[in-house]
Amino acid sequence: MTSVIADYIANLTPKAKGQIRGTARLEITDHGSVMLDETGATASDGPADVVLIASDEVFRNILSGAQNPITAYMSGKLRVEGNVQRALKVSAILTA
């Protein structure tokens, strides 16, 4: 596990714990993947209900509030595999 992934796990576990239904995977380009579920965040590239794919910079900007996730999706900076409605719920948790 890279330090980038470890940082995401530390920051996302409190946000995701008890908030996510099902599973969501953040695929951070060139670094790896973080799985989110009701227990928090873990390093994993397993199957998920929805997958959000973006660069480390885009995800960090979304988490800090500097980038709107919908705008990132519409401009092609954020890709979604799976249910877009679920992706919107996950992004709302990430930006909270």
Side-chain angles (χ1 to χ4, degrees):
M1 174 175 24
T2 68
S3 62
V4 171
I5 297 300
D7 187 44
Y8 277 97
I9 290 169
N11 288 323
L12 292 174
T13 293
K15 289 184 176 200
K17 200 171 206 173
Q19 299 297 316
I20 302 258
R21 290 197 178 137
T23 57
R25 190 175 76 229
L26 306 183
E27 208 169 281
I28 300 110
T29 310
D30 298 327
H31 293 285
S33 298
V34 175
M35 187 73 73
L36 305 174
D37 62 22
E38 64 278 350
T39 64
T42 57
S44 175
D45 61 355
D49 298 325
V50 65
V51 180
L52 285 72
I53 306 162
S55 69
D56 178 44
E57 178 184 8
V58 170
F59 276 125
R60 288 190 187 275
N61 286 338
I62 289 171
L63 290 168
S64 72
Q67 171 74 62
N68 180 299
I70 296 169
T71 305
Y73 174 74
M74 298 300 275
S75 66
K77 293 178 182 179
L78 175 69
R79 289 187 303 136
V80 174
E81 292 178 0
N83 186 311
V84 176
Q85 292 287 79
R86 188 176 288 268
L88 289 173
K89 290 179 182 177
V90 171
S91 66
I93 291 167
L94 298 179
T95 57

